[in-house]
């Protein structure tokens, strides 16, 4: 067996083939967020009567479709604190779960190609350092040392003026993160049912008391929606209206090459990002599609524009071959920040608004939501991200959270 | 003719592909594995002229071409220069595109022609590799000369079927060919020696000691052994339907074997199932035993199907293997571009990332030695070498700045006042003809979108200005609302048709008088007039962003250079200097004017930036009113402040921490604008405090800063009216 | 790749925004070439200021465009290499969209030739991309 297979741990599925009638917690969505919440409920709070339901296989949504980037260099203190917690938890995930998730701290450069964006990146560095995410503003010469493949003239059109450099920027294999949490949750007694579509919520008075599924109804103490892409539908069942639009987000990967491409590189002006996978492939992404959509189709216009941007900064990539493109559908909130915790409907909790930045939040969101459910009180770290912030006119407006414009 | 294979020249015949050339010389084009020579698998990839992962079976051999096999077991290195050759892109419209020139493609093309359609046929074997099908329908086709972007009225996929590869122990040896490959080899006049033809009855391949890595014996399931130089595998086929599966929502027609039902091969029991990722059947069993119990989980855990051929080889075998365990035939995994090879250079060809606009004064700025930079999609002067000198020219003499990038919109019509009253939170109806007013735009959420001026031309006609960065959004914004409300208003966005030069400084009026404007007709503060300046018709707007007396000269762009030169020439004895954005930003900061987007945030209400005065809630209706009324009673912690501190000015973005109070030492906001005021000799700043109570004394950049009333400069606004 | 070796010239004319019905009935001067950008918007190349029956019409000099005359061959080259969208099937016609990534207009004549119109502010980018010569300095 190859190393990749050998190092996998078992997924110790429950012996039950059908869900029980009642659980303390039912989680809709068997992606990273749903599974991490179940894992922390079971392992940190002793709440093991938990069921995670997924319409397809675990990690079939955005958890298995992202670009695996972990970073904390946001624009507002609340977000930096939250994502830095997540970044730190990722660093300990392998030792905690015993699963090799191919975590690799490699640093992230965010390039600026104009006076205006240089100012933005400088601002990012100052704010990040003040809020616990160590960063430096680096010169073109320093950038070249970090990533020698760069053309500092940006193809003559996008000269690199500088970059913010987040030392803790990292990547981890997305599937393996999903599996690490699934394995741990299953070991702790959580039930996970694949191919089990939730098609409605059970309500008693104003309270959500369970879910209806393709395998029958299930009662629940609380229901957490951890779905990606169709959260508006699920929330509507709970009479919760969300400030969210769903958009297609594409990405693609190239064939592998032997040279090391050390950091994660993003460009503020060009709006794309690239990193190298453990297998040597270049993994590229950019903005979400402007048109709101539930379609997971890919477009050539996307491949074309991202390729052009990548080649402008990294001429060697012109010769790399596009191996596979794909798309996910992501939930973008009006302030570009996530929404976590209570809604106005008792019994119904949310983990959503993960937009283009959900993977990196998995450990922190999962552990904080588990704490919220266990204590029936919102932990301070995620208080600013409550849905009620929109009623209170206290948006967490953070356009840089998307890594896009 | 010869090409270079792993550093050695080898002979080839005209018409050979690189793969055939290797086979002709007794070599495998890669390092082993079944060859299909049909572009389906990834077993023949090599580095060709520096580009790795190229399917040699789809690449015509040419004299002197350099072919390097990928190193064994590790990724290839990149060779040669980085820069890609200029790739020709063609945008083509066709009636019916038929993909595939095999039997089903020929039949489909004939049928379409009979029905009166123009038919274009694409076939990889004829040099046109279809990389992907996309919405449209459209096809991306890689040809010998470039990339064709093909828009078709309809697409027929007649891609046929791909021959199944054998999956059994020994299947990565050299000398194993599909029937189709063997036919192609024979047609090229290449003798493979003693061959044995097998089907799904093959149990394993073995090498001989004297020829390691090459097949010498094929063992069948019945135990019989057959010695040979090469094995031909005729094990059936699977639909070549990657292009079809790529576009579940796009209407394409699939015909022939690509659409036909196929039996899956028997579930494999050993050998390499995915040659691209080197996944073995033992690996599949390994992940299955660990609980990875769905086809997609098996794929993701074992990496089977994630390589060059994207599951074309292993897909049917994997379906069979998982199906045997689950008791039902699983669906194939999603088809995704790219179906055939395309590099980033080829994908990028013909694409332009963005377009930077130039003002009509671009050449003047260059001649004056300006440092140009990109702002909001325009090339603009950041400074002309000495921003402090530029500053003093504005404060004490006269200066000119190029503000041609401002959004400029004319609106006219019977409903224009009603429309503007609804668009802007300020009053519009009481602006007199010849007068102007500063206004902000709000989103429906009551957040500041943009700011600018309204100039009334006559009862039913106004000129609106917007910020340079906001101009294009503003046009859509205004048009959308007017259309939504069904009001009768004509809209002309003349941002790029009109230039604008800001003449600013205490001597600005004097300069205009020298250029022919008589004192009596000189507009007063917040007036605007149509006047000739240096003989050029100008719409002169008297306002002030810099804090000094200022006249914006809006004019047709064919006069811009003449006007600019006249101002510079006539202003010489007044010490005139042009100023760039850097100085402008400092000047306006001393006046406390916000720059929307720099000092504001996505959720900045007028209250948060101390601009409630620009909002008239007594108006019955305007965009954002409902939100402002709803949020008005809410407690609000977020507020933009002016600060002063000793220089040097801290970097913009520096965090703000109160020195006392409950939030002492915590980050409560950041500096949005910062400037060493030459006049005051200290720094002036704008920045946020987002925690109550707001502090009068804060720490910025490790130093003390104090909240200050704004404007910092000329609080009474006397100088702008001079 | 072949270049589209044309030269851009500055254009002078009028911009007319008016009720569509008013624009439909304008008697354009013989030396004017109206380009109907949208039902309520015309760019008129050359000629005197047109009179409109709409009292609220905006009629203003327009110097914001440059143009280049294209032969049928040059147009074909441009369309093949720089235009992602399909040209209208019947000519004369006005086509508008990005050409080489720059917003532009094509006045398509019945004889197969065309005039390419681009905002002066962006035409240097277009010229660079299609191999044309930009218009020279500001006219005086």
């Amino acid at each position: 067996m190859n190393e990749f297979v050998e190092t996998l741990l078992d997924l110790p599925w429950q012996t039950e083939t059908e869900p029980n009638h009642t659980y303390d917690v039912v989680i809709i969505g068997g992606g990273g967020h749903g599974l991490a919440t179940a894992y922390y409920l079971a392992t940190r709070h002793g709440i093991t009567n938990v069921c995670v339901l997924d319409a397809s296989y675990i990690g079939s949504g955005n958890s298995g479709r992202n670009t695996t980037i972990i970073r904390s260099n946001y624009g507002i203190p609340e977000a930096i604190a939250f994502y830095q917690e997540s970044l730190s938890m990722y660093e300990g995930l392998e030792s905690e779960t015993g699963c090799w998730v191919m975590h690799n701290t490699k640093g992230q450069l965010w390039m600026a190609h104009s006076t205006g964006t240089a100012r933005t990146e400088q601002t990012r560095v100052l704010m990040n350092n003040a809020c616990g995410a160590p960063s430096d503003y680096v010169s073109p010469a320093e950038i070249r040392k970090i990533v020698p493949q760069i053309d500092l003239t940006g193809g003559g059109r996008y000269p690199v003026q500088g970059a913010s450099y987040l030392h803790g920027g990292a990547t981890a294999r997305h599937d393996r993160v999903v599996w690490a949490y699934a394995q741990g949750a299953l070991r702790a007694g959580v039930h996970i049912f694949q191919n089990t579509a939730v098609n409605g919520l059970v309500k008693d008075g104003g309270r959500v008391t369970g879910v209806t599924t393709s395998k029958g109804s299930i009662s629940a103490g609380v229901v957490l929606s951890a779905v990606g892409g169709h959260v508006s539908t699920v929330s509507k069942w709970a009479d919760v209206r969300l400030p969210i639009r769903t958009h297609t987000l594409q990405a693609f990967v190239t064939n592998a090459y032997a040279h090391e491409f050390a950091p994660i590189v993003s460009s503020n002006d060009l709006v794309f990002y690239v990193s190298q996978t453990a297998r040597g492939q270049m993994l590229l992404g950019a903005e979400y599609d402007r048109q709101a959509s539930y379609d997971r189709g890919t477009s050539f216009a996307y491949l074309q524009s991202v390729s052009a941007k990548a080649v402008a900064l990294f001429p060697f990539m012109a010769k790399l071959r596009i191996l596979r493109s794909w798309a996910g559908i992501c939930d973008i909130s009006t302030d570009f920040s996530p929404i976590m915790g209570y809604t106005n409907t008792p019994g119904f909790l949310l983990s959503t608004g993960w937009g283009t930045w959900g993977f990196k939040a998995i450990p922190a969101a999962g552990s904080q939501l588990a704490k919220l459910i266990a204590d029936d009180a919102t932990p301070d770290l995620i208080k600013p991200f409550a849905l009620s912030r929109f009623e209170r006119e206290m948006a967490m407006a953070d356009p840089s959270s998307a890594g896009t414009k | 003719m010869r090409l270079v294979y792993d550093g050695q020249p080898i002979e080839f015949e005209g018409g050979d592909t690189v793969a055939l050339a290797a086979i002709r010389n007794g070599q495998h084009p890669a390092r082993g594995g079944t060859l299909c020579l049909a572009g389906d698998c990834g077993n023949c990839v090599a580095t060709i002229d520096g580009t790795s992962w190229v399917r040699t079976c789809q690449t015509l051999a040419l004299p002197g071409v350099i072919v390097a096999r990928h190193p064994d077991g590790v990724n290839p290195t990149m060779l040669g220069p980085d820069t890609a050759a200029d790739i020709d892109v063609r945008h083509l419209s066709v009636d019916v595109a038929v993909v595939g020139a095999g039997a089903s493609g020929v039949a489909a093309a004939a049928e379409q022609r009979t029905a009166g359609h123009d038919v274009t046929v694409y076939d990889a074997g004829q040099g046109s590799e279809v990389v992907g099908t996309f919405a449209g329908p459209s096809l991306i086709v890689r040809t010998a000369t470039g990339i064709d972007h093909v828009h078709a009225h309809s697409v027929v996929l007649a891609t046929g079927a791909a021959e199944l590869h054998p999956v059994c122990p020994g299947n990565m040896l050299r000398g194993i060919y599909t029937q189709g490959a063997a036919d192609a080899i024979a047609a090229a006049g290449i003798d493979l020696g003693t061959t044995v033809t097998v089907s799904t009855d093959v149990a394993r391949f073995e090498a001989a000691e004297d020829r390691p890595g090459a097949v010498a014996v094929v063992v069948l399931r019945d135990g019989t052994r057959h010695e040979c130089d090469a094995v031909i595998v005729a094990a059936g086929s699977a639909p070549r339907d990657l292009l079809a599966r790529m576009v579940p929502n796009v209407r394409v027609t699939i015909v022939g074997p690509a659409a036909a039902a196929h039996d899956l091969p028997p579930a494999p029991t050993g050998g390499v199932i995915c040659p691209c990722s080197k996944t073995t059947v033992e690996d599949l069993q390994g992940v299955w035993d660990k609980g990875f119990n769905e086809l997609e989980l098996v794929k993701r855990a074992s990496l089977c199907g994630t390589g060059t051929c994207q599951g074309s080889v292993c897909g049917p075998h994997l379906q069979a293997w998982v199906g045997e365990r689950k008791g039902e035939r699983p669906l194939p995994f999603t088809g995704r571009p790219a179906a055939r090879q395309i590099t980033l250079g080829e994908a990028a060809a013909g694409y332009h990332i963005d377009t930077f606009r130039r003002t009509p004064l671009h050449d003047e700025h260059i001649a004056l030695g300006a440092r140009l930079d990109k702002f909001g999609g325009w090339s603009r002067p950041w400074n002309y070498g000495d921003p402090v000198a530029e500053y003093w020219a504005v404060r004490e003499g006269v200066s000119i700045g190029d503000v041609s990038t401002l959004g400029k919109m004319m609106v006219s019509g019977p409903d224009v006042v009603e429309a503007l009253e609804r668009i802007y939170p300020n009053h519009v109806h009481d602006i007199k003809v010849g007068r102007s007013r500063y206004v902000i735009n709000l989103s429906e959420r009551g957040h500041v979108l943009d700011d600018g001026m309204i100039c009334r031309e006559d009862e039913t006609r106004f000129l609106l200005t917007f910020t340079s960065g906001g101009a294009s959004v503003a046009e859509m914004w205004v048009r959308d609302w007017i259309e939504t409300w069904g009001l009768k208003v004509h809209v002309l966005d003349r941002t790029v048709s009109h230039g604008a030069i800001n003449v600013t400084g205490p001597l600005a009026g004097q300069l205009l008088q020298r250029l022919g404007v008589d004192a009596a007709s000189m507009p007063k503060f917040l007036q605007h007039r149509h006047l000739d300046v240096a003989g050029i018709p100008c719409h002169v707007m008297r306002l002030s962003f810099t804090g000094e007396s200022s006249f914006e000269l809006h004019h047709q762009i064919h006069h811009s250079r003449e006007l600019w030169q006249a101002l510079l020439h006539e202003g010489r004895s007044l010490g005139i200097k042009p100023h760039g954005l850097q100085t402008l930003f400092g000047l306006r900061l001393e006046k406390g004017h916000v720059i929307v987007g720099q000092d504001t945030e996505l959720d900045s209400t007028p209250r948060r930036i101390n601009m409630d005065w620009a909002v008239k809630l007594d108006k019955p209706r305007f965009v954002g009113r409902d939100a402002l009324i709803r949020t008005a009673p809410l407690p609000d912690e977020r507020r933009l402040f002016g600060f002063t501190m000793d220089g040097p000015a801290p970097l913009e973005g520096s965090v703000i921490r109160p020195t006392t109070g409950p939030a002492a030492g915590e980050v409560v906001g950041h500096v949005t604008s910062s400037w060493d005021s030459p006049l005051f000799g200290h720094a002036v700043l704008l920045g946020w405090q987002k925690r109550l109570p707001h502090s009068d004394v804060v720490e910025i950049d490790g130093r003390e800063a104090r909240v200050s009333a704004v404007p910092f400069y000329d609080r009474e606004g006397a100088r702008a009216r001079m | 790749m072949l270049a589209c070796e044309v030269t851009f010239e500055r254009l002078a004319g009028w911009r007319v925004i008016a009720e569509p019905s008013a624009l439909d009935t304008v008697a354009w001067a013989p030396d004017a070439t109206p380009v109907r950008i949208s039902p309520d918007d015309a760019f008129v190349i050359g000629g005197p200021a047109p009179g409109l029956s709409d009292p609220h019409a905006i009629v203003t000099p327009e110097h914001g465009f440059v143009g280049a005359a294209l032969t049928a061959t040059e147009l074909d080259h441009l369309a093949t290499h720089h235009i992602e969208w399909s040209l209208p099937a019947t000519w004369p016609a006005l086509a508008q969209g990005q050409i080489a990534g720059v917003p532009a207009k094509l006045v398509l004549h019945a004889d197969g030739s065309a005039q390419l119109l681009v905002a002066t502010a962006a035409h240097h980018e277009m010229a660079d991309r299609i191999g044309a010569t930009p218009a020279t300095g500001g006219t005086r």
Side-chain angles (χ1 to χ4, degrees), chain B residues 492-512:
Chain B
L492 171 62
D493 181 348
R494 54 187 206 186
T495 300
V496 297
S497 297
H498 276 230
I501 298 171
N502 186 25
V503 186
T504 182
L507 305 182
Q510 200 176 323
L511 175 58
L512 294 195

Side-chain angles (χ1 to χ4, degrees), chain B residues 255-301:
Chain B
V255 299
H262 281 68
D263 289 334
L264 292 176
T269 55
V272 172
I273 181 168
C274 172
C276 301
S277 297
K278 305 284 186 290
T279 308
T280 64
V281 176
E282 289 72 24
D283 291 330
L284 299 189
Q285 191 63 49
V287 301
W288 188 268
D289 291 344
K290 287 169 188 267
F292 293 80
N293 55 8
E294 296 288 329
L295 180 123
E296 278 284 351
L297 288 178
V298 172
K299 172 192 167 183
R300 286 167 178 269

Side-chain angles (χ1 to χ4, degrees), chain A residues 1-2 4-13 57-61 63-65 75-78 113-116 119 122-123 126-127 129-131 149 156-159 161 173-176 179 183 194-195 252 254-259 269-270 278-281 284 295-301 303-312 315-328 334-336 390-399, chain B residues 49-55 75-84 91 134-135 140 147 149 249 277-280 282-283 286-287 289-294 296-297 299-303 306-310 326 333-351 353-356 371 373-375 382 445 447 598-599 601-603 605 608 630-631 634-638 651-655 657 667 669-673 690:
Chain A
M1 278 190 284
N2 69 43
F4 200 77
V5 173
E6 257 171 33
T7 52
L8 289 171
L9 299 188
D10 286 0
L11 286 167
W13 297 99
Y57 60 95
I58 54 170
S60 52
S63 294
R65 295 165 189 271
I76 52 178
E78 296 88 344
H113 310 281
S114 65
T115 305
R119 179 185 171 282
Q122 184 70 260
T123 297
L126 291 163
M127 183 60 86
N129 277 329
C131 298
Q149 293 94 333
R157 195 175 163 95
Y158 308 98
Q161 297 209 357
R173 177 78 190 173
H174 51 6
D175 289 332
R176 287 186 164 241
W179 303 335
Q183 286 157 341
Q194 303 185 108
N195 305 312
F252 66 97
T254 71
N255 271 114
Y257 97 124
H259 311 274
D269 296 75
L270 293 173
R279 298 163 76 189
Q281 304 163 318
L284 296 101
D295 185 11
R296 281 179 176 162
T298 60
S299 67
F300 187 71
L303 295 178
Q304 202 179 13
S305 67
V306 181
S307 296
K309 293 167 178 182
V311 169
F316 80 90
M317 287 193 201
K319 290 200 286 190
L320 292 181
R321 176 184 180 280
I322 296 169
L323 183 63
R324 183 178 178 86
S325 58
W326 65 90
T334 51
D335 64 359
F336 301 95
F390 298 101
E391 289 167 29
R392 292 182 282 113
E393 187 61 12
M394 289 293 280
M396 288 287 109
D398 192 357
Chain B
D49 283 345
T51 300
S52 299
W53 302 102
V54 178
R55 282 189 171 102
N75 291 327
T77 52
M78 307 289 290
L79 300 171
D82 279 343
T83 44
H91 303 280
F134 295 94
I140 300 302
I147 301 292
H149 298 191
N249 302 325
S277 297
K278 305 284 186 290
T279 308
T280 64
E282 289 72 24
D283 291 330
V287 301
D289 291 344
K290 287 169 188 267
F292 293 80
N293 55 8
E294 296 288 329
E296 278 284 351
L297 288 178
K299 172 192 167 183
R300 286 167 178 269
S302 71
L303 301 181
T306 63
T308 299
C309 81
Q310 286 293 294
K326 289 189 80 82
F333 35 75
T334 320
R336 291 290 195 183
R340 293 292 174 119
Q341 55 203 27
I342 181 169
T343 61
L344 268 69
E346 289 166 337
Y351 183 80
I353 297 168
D354 44 26
T355 295
F356 292 111
R371 193 195 130 196
D373 204 347
K374 286 150 188 165
F375 295 91
W382 178 239
R445 295 184 198 118
H447 301 152
Q598 173 167 328
D599 299 304
E601 305 197 326
L602 287 182
D603 64 340
T605 54
R608 288 176 175 168
R630 186 186 75 75
T631 58
L634 296 174
D636 197 3
E637 298 184 314
R638 302 174 181 180
L651 289 169
E652 289 174 352
S654 296
V655 300
R657 294 182 167 100
V667 176
H670 70 284
V671 174
T672 59
S673 291
K690 299 182 180 176

Side-chain angles (χ1 to χ4, degrees), chain A residues 116-166:
Chain A
T117 52
R119 179 185 171 282
T120 303
E121 294 313 319
Q122 184 70 260
T123 297
R124 192 193 304 281
V125 169
L126 291 163
M127 183 60 86
N128 281 271
N129 277 329
C131 298
S135 302
D136 279 313
Y137 189 80
V138 289
S139 68
E142 291 167 299
I143 291 167
R144 185 192 285 288
K145 278 186 204 146
I146 298 166
V147 55
Q149 293 94 333
I150 194 158
D151 171 7
L152 288 171
T153 74
R157 195 175 163 95
Y158 308 98
V160 176
Q161 297 209 357
S164 66
Y165 184 53
L166 175 73

